[in-house]
Amino acid sequence: MDKHEAIDKYEQRVNGLEIQRKIILLTLEDRDVFKHKELVLKKVADIDDRIALYIDVIETINSLNSK
């Protein structure tokens, strides 16, 4: 796997997580789900952490050949 394939792989993961995050946030519009908003927001925070990690990986891969 070359640098560009690796970056594409992690960008796809980030895109998938962003979609998942939006779907989870949309569930807050439901009254029954809103009662458990702390749980939902915890899931969103976990997704945000994973996105940040993948972005760090992308930046690291990107910097490998730029030196």
Side-chain angles (χ1 to χ4, degrees):
M1 179 180 309
D2 72 0
K3 173 183 166 179
H4 298 291
E5 289 173 330
I7 290 172
D8 286 344
K9 174 182 164 183
Y10 283 100
E11 285 178 342
Q12 288 174 5
R13 289 181 183 180
V14 168
N15 292 338
L17 287 170
E18 287 175 342
I19 291 168
Q20 185 179 359
R21 182 182 189 278
K22 287 177 186 175
I23 291 169
I24 290 172
L25 285 173
L26 285 174
T27 64
L28 286 174
E29 295 176 3
D30 185 312
R31 281 189 192 184
D32 293 330
V33 175
F34 189 79
K35 294 175 188 176
H36 305 285
K37 68 181 174 186
E38 293 83 17
L39 260 174
V40 173
L41 294 176
K42 169 74 171 105
K43 285 184 181 183
V44 170
D46 291 342
I47 290 172
D48 287 341
D49 289 344
R50 289 174 56 197
I51 289 171
L53 177 69
Y54 289 148
I55 289 172
D56 287 345
V57 170
I58 291 168
E59 290 173 352
T60 300
I61 293 169
N62 213 11
S63 70
L64 289 176
N65 290 338
S66 63
K67 293 183 180 177

